Amino acid sequence: MTTLVTGAGLIGTAFAREALARGEAVVFVDPEPRADYLRLRLGDKGYTAVRKDVRDLPGLIETIKAHGADTLVHSAGLIGNRVQQSLNAAFDINLGGTRNVAEAVRLAGVRRLVHISTFGVYDRRREANAPITEDFPHGGTRGYGAYKAAKELILGAYAAAFGFELIMLRPANVFGLGHFWSGSSGGQKMHNLLVAGLDGTRARIPAAETMANEYIYAKDIGRAVDLAATVPMPKQIAFNIGNGAVTAFEEVLAAVRALCPGLAYEVEPGEPPHSKLAPLDISAAKRELGWEPRFSVAAAFADYLQELKAARARAG
């Protein structure tokens, strides 16, 4: 069995760890796969990296057929502020790429597509204090969430028309080693705090990133993707993946200080924080996928710190 993964970043490699452990072959499609990062995350065996772009439909079809992939995990695309900074380029990559993924799944006969969406699809202007379920209204003014919502509609229409299996995951703010490279401001914040605490330097945190937010650790999202790729097709197709709690910035600081007591930071002036009020309701993922988080924010930082130290030791 083989799974094709678009995007060789944190979420794609977190899934690959799970897939390789159960004997699945993994093929990454990425325009600039980082060989050093893949070796760090996965070692040297069990996966293949193909240098192609999701905007290349013939290349996607060719790769699926060449490797006999019957499952596809779609994680590629610009994220976070990189979308907002270039809405036109993000439209081509995120929406055009997703259209190509849907076409490739249809034309190559892929059985199941797992799409990595985001909790950013929800219209937080309507937010209440009750946990947010998967039927909460979509919308907003930020490009990232709007494009993700559009991608869900595109894929839903294709799956309904052509009969392939579709599961969409909506993770909270993902963090883990390497996520900040793709443009995640939340992932960058978590990384900067941990590095500053470890090195005895001062982290610079944008004011907007002092918001209360919901987080999910890379290893937890990796398990969620693996379950979405392998469980019998559930009745529901969209699932929240989070910790089920909103974490204040002060709690994030406390978790890092428990590991690095000398942590120092400063808040850079700028856009004010817009805190999340309500957590995700993750009961559907527990019920339909058999998934629930194993890492608290504190436990995640402890694991992240060990991965960071190992990465530095390997780099020499």
Side-chain angles (χ1 to χ4, degrees):
M1 302 290 285
T2 300
T3 297
L4 186 143
V5 180
T6 66
L10 179 66
I11 294 177
T13 55
F15 158 73
R17 281 182 168 181
E18 302 288 330
L20 295 176
R22 58 178 169 80
E24 180 95 355
V26 174
V27 178
F28 292 102
V29 170
D30 193 296
E32 296 181 8
R34 302 187 305 272
D36 56 344
Y37 184 65
L38 288 171
R39 283 194 299 271
L40 172 67
R41 301 278 292 161
L42 304 173
D44 296 312
K45 297 180 180 179
Y47 63 90
T48 303
V50 176
R51 190 178 292 272
K52 291 187 184 295
D53 195 300
V54 289
R55 291 170 290 183
D56 176 8
L57 176 56
L60 283 174
I61 296 171
E62 175 189 346
T63 305
I64 291 169
K65 290 184 174 180
H67 294 273
D70 68 342
T71 305
L72 192 151
V73 173
H74 181 35
S75 72
L78 300 182
I79 65 175
N81 288 332
R82 291 183 66 186
V83 174
Q84 199 65 25
Q85 291 162 2
S86 185
L87 290 171
N88 183 57
F91 191 101
D92 289 341
I93 295 169
N94 290 14
L95 295 183
T98 296
R99 175 202 59 207
N100 286 347
V101 165
E103 274 288 279
V105 165
R106 174 178 78 88
L107 294 171
V110 171
R111 176 184 58 87
R112 180 174 295 185
L113 170 60
V114 179
H115 172 56
I116 311 304
S117 187
T118 174
F119 72 156
V121 300
Y122 297 123
D123 188 353
R124 294 285 183 162
R125 295 170 299 183
R126 307 187 188 190
E127 187 174 16
N129 290 321
I132 292 176
T133 59
E134 286 83 356
D135 59 358
F136 193 84
H138 290 191
T141 59
R142 301 287 291 180
Y144 179 57
Y147 285 4
K148 283 285 193 179
K151 290 164 72 171
E152 289 192 9
L153 291 173
I154 291 168
L155 295 175
Y158 263 83
F162 301 111
F164 58 81
E165 297 176 353
L166 171 66
I167 296 180
M168 301 184 291
L169 304 182
R170 297 171 184 158
N173 195 149
V174 180
F175 70 105
L177 184 63
H179 197 47
F180 57 95
W181 288 329
S182 299
S184 168
S185 56
Q188 182 78 68
K189 169 186 67 182
M190 304 299 243
H191 182 79
N192 287 354
L193 287 170
L194 200 56
V195 167
L198 181 61
D199 293 346
T201 57
R202 181 179 295 272
R204 298 175 63 86
I205 306 299
E209 285 302 325
T210 63
M211 67 173 124
N213 206 353
E214 183 168 353
Y215 301 98
I216 187 72
Y217 188 48
K219 289 184 178 179
D220 276 332
I221 184 66
R223 285 190 305 104
V225 179
D226 192 53
L227 286 166
T230 56
V231 298
M233 187 63 196
K235 294 180 181 179
Q236 184 167 324
I237 67 168
F239 297 95
N240 292 331
I241 304 295
N243 272 339
V246 174
T247 301
F249 181 60
E250 291 73 20
E251 295 176 85
V252 171
L253 294 175
V256 178
R257 283 201 172 111
L259 302 167
C260 307
L263 172 67
Y265 75 97
E266 61 183 88
V267 177
E268 298 178 325
E271 180 183 343
H274 299 284
S275 293
K276 301 290 191 298
L277 300 178
L280 297 175
D281 183 330
I282 58 174
S283 61
K286 293 180 181 180
R287 181 179 66 250
E288 301 285 341
L289 302 180
W291 176 89
E292 59 184 325
R294 293 176 180 170
F295 288 87
S296 65
V297 170
F301 270 124
D303 190 79
Y304 191 167
L305 181 61
Q306 293 307 309
E307 290 208 333
L308 180 58
K309 289 179 177 178
R312 288 182 169 189
R314 185 165 182 168

